[in-house]
Amino acid sequence: MESAQNDNAVSFKENLGFKDYLGFGFGDMAVNFTFASLGMFVVFFYTDVVGISAGIIGTLMLFSRSFDGIIDVVIGGLVDKTHSRWGKTRPWLLFGAIPFAALTILLFAVPSGWSETAKIVYIFLSYNILMIAFSAIAIPYGTLNSLVTRDQHQREIFNLFRMFMAQIGVLIVTNATMPLVNFFGNKQVSWVATYAVLSGISVILLFIVFKSQRERVTVSAKEKIPLKISLKAIAHNKYWWIATIFFIIYSIGYALNQGSTIYYAKYILHNDSLVGILTIGYLAPVLIGFVVIASLFKKYGKTKVMLYGSLVSIVGYLFTLISPDNFWVVMVAQIIKGLGQAPLLGGVWAMFPDTIEYGEWKTHVRIEGLLYSGGSLGQKVGVGLGTAITGWVLAFGHYNGALAAQSPSAIQSIYQLFIYIPLIIYVLQIVMLRMYDLDKKYPKIMADLAARNK
């Protein structure tokens, strides 16, 4: 029986090579020129450059997530209904790249002469319009993974390339942003110039994705699926719900890690220029880990490897407690956390294509765009909550970005964000991964679908 299932799985393989995987990976590098900036610098920019209180920023970030679910479902539904000579997803990348870049630049163009209230309104509007543009790129880009191949292992390799290039994007943003800001004069307008450069590169990368990818998966033509039926299919797809909730929890932790690093470097290690090297310490093991993760996923299943990755990350956070203000202890902890992150980053996006196949098997309804919107929804809601928590915890500790030295309560709030709250997040991740047992069922699901579609 196992052999028959493996034979069926092999039949889904496509003739893919390094160029296909790399071209796909450029998309997440482009997205992370914006997305990593939202996690790493946006709260710092608003508190320390624009001068808005951390509590207000935290509340804005949470409130901004209130309609994201609706936007993601709408975009996902539109992707499912898209039919063009370029396919379902690629035209979104072609026509969405420039607006996405322009709105990223505008995020940092808060008018300096406006009142605080007017600035808050500008921040709210520019952030949320950017999130709409983000959905219009991220959901089609993510859905593309389910259309280039139906082979689970090839999808996992696509995802590993995607996340590898995403971390390269994070490293570029982390290590280039402050030097570019300083190069352009270290003023607020310098941030605008910096993101004009980064966003221009992102447009080129998204065009490369459009040019290099093909939608190879074809599903027999069926009548249009009403939204009511699509939503009912989502309601009955338990693994989609587990994957989406997991992604929310995971993204909260990722946002906390990114957003707190610059505060930790500046006020605990007393050198904000260390943010780059700390990020390298965190991401270098991730990039190295990606070399072996594909084979580990194939041998043990991605869910089990992701679970052990969460445990390794917990060890890293606990290691920081040995001497939280010692750079070398923190650096070693970053490396341990990075080793744990490799399977998590390598597997999180690969969960959603599997839920698409499960949904078709369970409900006889195939809706790539709507189901993949769970990834974008989970990521945006999680990062929004993580950013909000960052602002609230700093505000609770009476953090004041205008002060060179912070109060003991503000320092304690930075410790909470960098060490203690993420520990809770990882425990919750482990609980969700224990519930996601789709890897065991996937070969039979694909064998049944192959028989059904003959």
Side-chain angles (χ1 to χ4, degrees):
M1 181 66 176
E2 183 178 352
S3 176
Q5 289 172 357
N6 288 339
D7 289 343
N8 275 302
V10 169
S11 68
F12 288 103
K13 286 186 176 179
E14 301 284 349
N15 184 22
L16 300 171
F18 178 80
K19 184 173 70 173
D20 300 292
Y21 296 126
L22 182 63
F24 184 77
F26 279 136
D28 225 331
M29 178 189 281
V31 169
N32 266 282
F33 280 0
T34 293
F35 200 72
S37 303
L38 297 180
M40 185 69 70
F41 293 113
V42 75
V43 175
F44 178 80
F45 172 77
Y46 289 145
T47 58
D48 288 41
V49 179
V50 180
I52 307 298
S53 92
I56 291 174
I57 295 302
T59 302
L60 280 178
M61 294 300 103
L62 180 64
F63 192 73
S64 295
R65 306 277 63 80
S66 60
F67 69 96
D68 264 351
I70 298 173
I71 296 300
D72 285 344
V73 169
V74 169
I75 297 294
L78 290 174
V79 170
D80 283 330
K81 296 178 185 299
T82 299
H83 301 283
S84 75
R85 60 187 172 124
W86 299 298
K88 276 187 174 185
T89 61
R90 291 168 64 232
W92 290 81
L93 305 179
L94 177 64
F95 297 110
I98 292 176
F100 180 56
L103 288 165
T104 299
I105 298 168
L106 288 174
L107 187 73
F108 295 91
V110 182
S112 57
W114 287 13
S115 67
E116 183 179 42
T117 300
K119 288 180 181 179
I120 291 170
V121 172
Y122 181 93
I123 291 169
F124 177 79
L125 292 176
S126 61
Y127 189 90
N128 282 283
I129 296 172
L130 173 61
M131 286 299 98
I132 296 173
F134 177 85
S135 291
I137 291 291
I139 292 175
Y141 172 68
T143 304
L144 182 60
N145 191 6
S146 67
L147 295 173
V148 290
T149 177
R150 296 185 78 166
D151 181 78
Q152 187 183 34
H153 186 58
Q154 286 184 322
R155 284 177 173 174
E156 290 170 352
I157 296 175
F158 266 109
N159 188 68
L160 286 170
F161 269 80
R162 169 186 185 172
M163 297 314 299
F164 183 93
M165 299 307 294
Q167 304 322 302
I168 296 295
V170 173
L171 285 173
I172 291 172
V173 167
T174 304
N175 288 277
T177 295
M178 296 311 297
L180 280 172
V181 168
N182 291 328
F183 175 79
F184 288 121
N186 199 20
K187 300 176 182 178
Q188 185 182 331
V189 70
S190 307
W191 289 79
V192 177
T194 295
Y195 279 91
V197 173
L198 294 174
S199 297
I201 298 172
S202 76
V203 171
I204 296 172
L205 294 174
L206 288 171
F207 284 167
I208 291 174
V209 179
F210 169 81
K211 187 70 175 176
S212 65
Q213 299 304 302
R214 287 175 46 225
E215 297 182 8
R216 300 172 182 84
V217 175
T218 57
V219 182
S220 56
K222 298 178 182 179
E223 61 182 22
K224 291 184 178 180
I225 302 171
L227 181 60
K228 180 179 179 181
I229 300 298
S230 298
L231 294 177
K232 185 177 180 180
I234 290 177
H236 287 86
N237 191 327
K238 68 175 182 178
Y239 290 109
W240 181 86
W241 288 102
I242 294 171
T244 300
I245 294 170
F246 172 82
F247 209 164
I248 291 173
I249 295 170
Y250 171 80
S251 296
I252 291 173
Y254 197 75
L256 288 172
N257 177 70
Q258 285 191 320
S260 63
T261 300
I262 190 167
Y263 292 102
Y264 202 87
K266 184 174 182 178
Y267 295 108
I268 308 301
L269 302 178
H270 307 292
N271 186 352
D272 58 6
S273 67
L274 291 176
V275 65
I277 191 67
L278 288 175
T279 305
I280 291 173
Y282 183 73
L283 292 182
V286 173
L287 298 177
I288 295 170
F290 280 167
V291 176
V292 298
I293 287 301
S295 59
L296 292 177
F297 282 174
K298 189 171 185 178
K299 184 173 182 179
Y300 300 107
K302 62 178 169 292
T303 306
K304 182 179 291 186
V305 180
M306 290 169 72
L307 192 150
Y308 282 112
S310 296
L311 292 172
V312 172
S313 295
I314 288 175
V315 172
Y317 281 100
L318 293 175
F319 190 87
T320 311
L321 297 176
I322 294 174
S323 183
D325 58 353
N326 183 295
F327 167 75
W328 291 108
V329 170
V330 175
M331 193 64 180
V332 172
Q334 290 288 94
I335 293 170
I336 297 171
K337 288 188 287 183
L339 289 171
Q341 274 295 303
L344 291 164
L345 282 168
V348 63
W349 278 107
M351 297 169 78
F352 287 95
D354 295 350
T355 69
I356 292 171
E357 307 300 345
Y358 171 79
E360 182 182 1
W361 176 78
K362 177 75 173 178
T363 66
H364 293 255
V365 176
R366 186 177 180 87
I367 41 173
E368 294 99 342
L370 273 177
L371 288 178
Y372 223 100
S373 68
S376 176
L377 172 62
Q379 189 178 48
K380 288 200 300 183
V381 170
V383 169
L385 286 169
T387 306
I389 291 169
T390 300
W392 289 340
V393 172
L394 288 172
F396 184 78
H398 305 292
Y399 173 85
N400 186 341
L403 300 178
Q406 298 296 324
S407 66
S409 62
I411 296 299
Q412 184 59 36
S413 70
I414 295 171
Y415 281 122
Q416 295 291 333
L417 291 168
F418 193 75
I419 303 173
Y420 298 106
I421 299 176
L423 281 170
I424 298 172
I425 295 297
Y426 276 96
V427 172
L428 295 176
Q429 283 182 197
I430 290 171
V431 172
M432 298 308 301
L433 287 170
R434 294 281 293 175
M435 298 171 63
Y436 189 89
D437 59 351
L438 184 55
D439 283 350
K440 300 175 183 177
K441 303 176 181 179
Y442 193 82
K444 182 180 187 307
I445 288 171
M446 296 308 294
D448 289 350
L449 287 176
R452 185 188 299 173
N453 292 327
K454 282 182 180 178

